[in-house]
């Protein structure tokens, strides 16, 4: 059996139509398949590889850490230098109230931890979240996601969860003294890059403060420079009570985090003690890799360069078949008439050497989120290839 047949037979499948590309290496903005064909990574592993693949500083940090130690003990018992240094670096970059980091393995686990923390801190269980939001696939996170098709087969889910339309003032009325938290993506990703209305997000913050409700921003996909700010919420001058990070946080290694004020986080230490436990969360190798990746991101001009690259997308991506283009930094949704059209374009993009995909809740939208290290010239070439792919798709 070849690898494709083995993959289909022995690796659990999540759909009947996996992309099925077989890569042997990845460097910078490129991934290379078994035949040596280069593909520009247009999705960065869904906002993971923000500084591209195989950065030498990240590889060196990983090598240093695996030589020193890998797993020592469950989370929270020993002082592990990579965790300490990374938590310090992150909290230095965040507003004062976000001063304590709980590292997890993944985004969904960060969501779960934050949900528990909100219940524990407020003594309430009602939660407000939004249509077309994605927060992960575990039971709690699944209860939050804003799409009935994905929820319906797994009931019963968590009770007391209420979905509202993103940017809808009606959501404000639903926040009350019984609400534990409002959880939202700062910029909605899988909906097809939907930005928050600045007045609405400010009003949400105010209502949460007034009712003692915790505001949770999920920046698992929006985070780490992609929107032109290190943290997407910086653009809106609105600070959450709990911030969720993952994906790019680990610099290519698995890592997530929920971040809050120490006064809140302390509540996970008593009644019960060990209020949230993980064996591998904050793995030292992941923390070392993530810290190195963050340093690369900050030392380079990558975040500052996002605005100019967003302009390239806006100026180049024009075609009668493109119905809408929504951007949030170097992150875009190129919307076609329907999924069938988008799929034809995506197939052509892949043939042209671009790794392209659609959005979970917006199948007519082509996802554009290349590594932030892409140059403007490379991005222009990518746009030309997309336009050519639209032509070739005959849509
Ligand atoms: N939140 C958002 C906004 C995401 O995009 C994702 C994953 O795509 C998650 C949470 C869940 O993260 P993970 O897949 O690491 O569990």
């Amino acid at each position: 059996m070849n690898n494709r047949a083995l993959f289909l037979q022995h690796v659990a499948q999540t759909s009947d139509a996996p992309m099925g590309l077989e890569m042997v290496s990845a460097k910078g903005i490129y991934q290379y398949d078994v035949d040596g064909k280069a593909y520009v990574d247009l999705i960065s592993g869904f906002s993971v590889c923000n500084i591209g693949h195989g950065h030498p500083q990240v590889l060196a940090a990983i090598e240093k850490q695996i030589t020193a130690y890998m797993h020592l003990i469950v989370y929270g018992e020993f002082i592990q230098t990579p965790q300490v240094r990374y938590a310090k670096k992150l909290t230095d970059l965040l507003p004062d109230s976000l001063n304590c980091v709980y590292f997890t393995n993944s985004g969904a686990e960060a969501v779960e931890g934050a949900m528990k923390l909100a219940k524990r801190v407020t003594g309430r269980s009602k939660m407000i979240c939004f249509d077309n939001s994605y927060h992960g696939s575990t039971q709690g996170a699944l209860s939050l996601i804003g799409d009935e098709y994905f929820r319906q087969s797994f009931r019963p889910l968590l009770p007391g969860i209420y979905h509202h339309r993103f940017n809808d003032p009606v959501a404000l009325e639903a926040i009350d003294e019984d609400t534990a938290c409002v959880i939202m993506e700062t910029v909605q990703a899988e909906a097809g890059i939907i930005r928050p209305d600045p007045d609405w997000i400010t009003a949400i913050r105010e209502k949460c403060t007034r009712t003692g409700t915790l505001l949770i921003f999920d920046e698992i996909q929006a985070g780490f420079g992609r929107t032109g700010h290190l943290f997407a919420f910086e653009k809106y001058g609105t600070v959450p009570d709990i911030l969720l990070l993952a994906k790019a946080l680990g610099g290519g290694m698995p890592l997530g985090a929920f971040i809050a004020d120490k006064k809140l986080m302390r509540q996970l230490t008593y009644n019960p003690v060990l209020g949230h436990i993980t064996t591998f969360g904050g793995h030292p190798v992941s923390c070392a890799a993530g810290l190195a990746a963050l340093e690369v991101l900050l030392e380079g001009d990558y975040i500052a360069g996002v605005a100019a690259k967003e302009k390239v997308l806006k100026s180049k991506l024009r075609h009668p078949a493109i119905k809408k283009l929504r951007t949030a930094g170097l992150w875009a949704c190129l919307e076609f008439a329907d999924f069938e059209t988008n799929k034809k374009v995506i197939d052509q993009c892949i043939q042209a050497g671009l790794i392209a995909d659609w959005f979970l809740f917006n199948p007519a939208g082509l996802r554009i989120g290349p590594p932030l290290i892409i140059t403007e010239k490379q991005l222009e070439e990518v746009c030309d290839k997309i336009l050519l792919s639209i032509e070739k798709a005959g849509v």
Side-chain angles (χ1 to χ4, degrees):
M1 268 197 205
N2 62 20
N3 265 0
R4 182 177 174 80
L6 291 169
F7 163 72
L8 293 173
Q9 180 62 28
H10 296 296
V11 179
Q13 298 293 305
T14 54
S15 86
D16 282 337
M19 289 168 89
L21 295 168
E22 189 176 354
M23 301 302 182
V24 289
S25 64
K27 191 84 193 155
I29 64 165
Y30 297 102
Q31 295 190 27
Y32 300 90
D33 74 8
V34 277
D35 301 319
K37 177 173 168 181
Y39 296 78
V40 175
D41 190 346
L42 252 199
I43 55 184
S44 304
F46 299 89
S47 282
V48 170
C49 315
N50 281 11
I51 59 154
H53 298 272
H55 195 286
Q57 262 172 260
V58 177
L59 299 185
I62 290 173
E63 210 172 319
K64 190 168 167 217
Q65 188 53 42
I66 57 176
T67 313
Y69 59 83
M70 292 198 280
H71 183 74
L72 295 180
I73 193 169
V74 293
Y75 185 78
E77 294 296 334
F78 286 8
I79 301 158
Q80 301 192 42
T81 310
Q83 286 176 356
V84 174
R85 289 185 52 219
Y86 202 11
K88 170 82 172 91
K89 180 81 181 176
L90 287 166
T91 52
D92 282 351
L93 292 163
L94 282 163
D96 289 349
S97 57
L98 295 171
N99 53 38
C100 187
V101 183
Y102 192 117
F103 286 114
T104 63
N105 298 286
S106 67
E109 286 173 73
V111 171
E112 299 287 340
M115 291 170 85
K116 281 173 68 184
L117 183 60
K119 283 167 111 173
R120 177 71 181 84
V121 167
T122 61
R124 310 169 184 172
S125 59
K126 176 178 160 185
M127 297 185 188
I128 290 175
C129 45
F130 296 94
D131 292 347
N132 295 328
S133 59
Y134 183 77
H135 296 291
S137 219
T138 51
Q139 304 254 347
L142 179 63
S143 307
L144 297 173
I145 71 171
D147 188 288
E148 181 54 18
Y149 170 73
F150 286 95
R151 290 191 308 253
Q152 36 108 25
S153 297
F154 301 103
R155 296 198 185 283
L157 292 168
L158 279 183
I161 310 264
Y162 298 90
H163 292 89
H164 289 272
R165 287 208 299 268
F166 198 68
N167 282 332
D168 187 348
V170 170
L172 292 164
E173 292 160 28
I175 305 168
D176 58 21
E177 274 76 12
D178 293 327
T179 314
C181 63
V182 171
I183 175 161
M184 57 181 279
E185 291 172 81
T186 317
V187 175
Q188 284 199 313
E190 296 306 321
I193 315 299
I194 310 288
R195 296 170 185 247
D197 175 334
D199 292 337
W200 180 77
I201 201 171
T202 305
I204 293 267
R205 171 68 278 178
E206 280 167 12
K207 189 73 189 283
C208 283
T209 304
R210 231 178 318 132
T211 55
T213 300
L214 298 189
L215 180 57
I216 304 174
F217 283 171
D218 178 340
E219 297 208 358
I220 287 165
Q221 202 170 144
F224 274 66
R226 185 145 296 280
T227 61
H229 299 267
L230 181 56
F231 304 107
F233 69 80
E234 291 171 66
K235 182 179 171 71
Y236 303 98
T238 305
V239 178
D241 299 296
I242 307 177
L243 176 68
L244 308 181
L245 300 172
K247 295 194 185 277
L249 181 73
M253 297 289 288
L255 190 65
F258 56 104
I259 304 178
D261 195 304
K262 176 127 189 83
K263 290 199 280 289
L264 306 188
M265 208 65 102
R266 228 190 79 68
Q267 308 230 7
L268 295 176
T269 65
Y270 64 95
N271 193 26
V273 64
L274 304 172
H276 197 66
I277 305 177
T278 167
T279 299
F280 284 124
H283 194 283
V285 180
S286 298
C287 285
L291 177 58
L294 177 57
E295 279 163 354
V296 170
L297 185 70
L298 295 175
E299 283 158 15
D301 239 2
Y302 304 121
I303 300 181
V306 162
K309 291 171 194 168
E310 185 175 16
K311 273 195 195 135
V312 170
L313 295 178
K314 284 183 172 165
S315 65
K316 294 275 297 180
L317 292 173
R318 289 161 195 261
H319 187 281
I322 299 172
K323 300 298 168 205
K324 279 185 207 144
L325 172 68
R326 281 187 301 277
T327 62
L330 188 41
W331 202 24
C333 172
L334 195 64
E335 218 170 274
F336 296 98
D338 47 36
F339 171 67
E340 287 66 34
T341 309
N342 192 21
K343 179 73 172 66
K344 282 185 199 158
V345 176
I346 286 171
D347 289 346
Q348 288 298 331
C349 283
I350 292 172
Q351 280 197 28
L354 300 176
I355 299 177
D357 201 6
W358 60 87
F359 292 90
L360 195 58
F361 306 135
N362 190 339
L366 189 141
R367 179 192 299 272
I368 301 180
L372 307 182
I373 58 167
I374 195 168
T375 64
E376 284 178 50
K377 187 164 175 296
Q378 286 170 327
L379 191 60
E380 281 169 11
E381 286 163 11
V382 162
C383 291
D384 288 338
K385 279 194 178 173
I386 293 174
L387 294 171
L388 199 62
S389 300
I390 296 174
E391 288 299 322
K392 282 199 175 162
V395 293

